[in-house]
Amino acid sequence: MQSCIFIDTETTGLDPRQGDRIVEICAIKYRNHKLTDEVFYTLVYPDREVPDWATGIHGISDKDVERAPRFENIADKLRAFIGREKIIAHNAPFDLRFLNAEFARVGMPRFNRRRVIDVLALAKSRFPGQWNGLSALCERFCIDTTGHTSHDAERDLRLLGTVYQELLKPARDTFQ
């Protein structure tokens, strides 16, 4: 795969069907087996309160997003940035549900699931029965997470890019 887009969202909750919305989006272009410096990033005003429990996870509060653009004001730029590239995400069904709900809300087409690579699914197939959260995968692959204390879309994607590279490598035989 020559080029694709790594994407991560932070949200007000867990289910867009219950009115939860995106509060942060980061997308980074991936070329020649590495993340580039081409980044789309924005906080998003969700038109609803950010619950304290969600702020506790990602650190984004109502005050942080009060002057952020609404999704409809960034949708065209985000869609253009992603283009026709494959999309890579950790727990991709979660991010895709929110992205598709936001795009549907503004009358834009949804992304097809066949366009998406789920790093969590790759990790589960390689490490069945183990915890495969991003922090666990970083620890498993000895990836330095210094300074990474909460969910932050761009930092998460930088770590995810390294995890993805490790998952693409053949599994090492532990019995020598």
Side-chain angles (χ1 to χ4, degrees):
M1 174 182 322
Q2 286 289 65
S3 179
C4 57
I5 302 290
F6 275 73
I7 197 160
D8 188 33
T9 62
E10 300 299 339
T11 65
T12 62
L14 302 175
D15 190 350
R17 294 172 298 181
Q18 300 297 317
D20 291 318
R21 304 286 300 272
I22 291 174
V23 294
E24 181 184 45
I25 300 171
C26 187
I28 303 177
K29 292 199 181 203
Y30 178 87
R31 279 196 196 97
N32 301 319
H33 307 291
K34 64 182 178 179
L35 291 171
T36 69
D37 290 330
E38 295 175 70
V39 176
F40 176 94
Y41 173 82
T42 189
L43 290 172
V44 179
Y45 182 74
D47 288 309
R48 64 165 294 166
E49 288 185 5
V50 180
D52 290 340
W53 69 266
T55 298
I57 293 170
H58 50 56
I60 300 167
S61 68
D62 288 329
K63 185 167 177 48
D64 296 320
V65 295
E66 68 187 4
R67 291 196 170 99
R70 287 180 162 85
F71 189 84
E72 61 262 21
N73 299 116
I74 59 99
D76 287 333
K77 288 181 183 175
L78 176 60
R79 183 66 80 159
F81 185 84
I82 295 169
R84 296 177 177 260
E85 305 285 357
K86 281 263 190 205
I87 297 169
I88 299 177
H90 189 265
N91 194 9
F94 179 86
D95 292 303
L96 195 60
R97 259 193 322 274
F98 275 92
L99 287 166
N100 281 338
E102 296 286 1
F103 280 116
R105 200 174 278 114
V106 298
M108 295 178 82
R110 298 170 181 255
F111 290 111
N112 186 314
R113 290 184 186 274
R114 290 181 296 215
R115 245 183 109 165
V116 179
I117 297 170
D118 183 10
V119 176
L120 180 58
L122 292 173
K124 284 180 176 182
S125 68
R126 177 128 168 224
F127 305 108
Q130 296 183 48
W131 174 246
N132 288 297
L134 183 57
S135 58
L137 291 167
C138 288
E139 187 175 320
R140 195 170 295 136
F141 289 123
C142 300
I143 297 167
D144 183 13
T145 60
T146 304
H148 189 263
T149 56
S150 68
H151 288 269
D152 169 279
E154 185 169 353
R155 278 187 291 208
D156 284 355
L157 287 181
R158 298 272 173 208
L159 293 173
L160 185 60
T162 306
V163 165
Y164 181 68
Q165 287 293 5
E166 290 295 325
L167 285 168
L168 293 180
K169 293 177 183 176
R172 295 181 194 106
D173 187 356
T174 56
F175 302 104
Q176 295 184 7

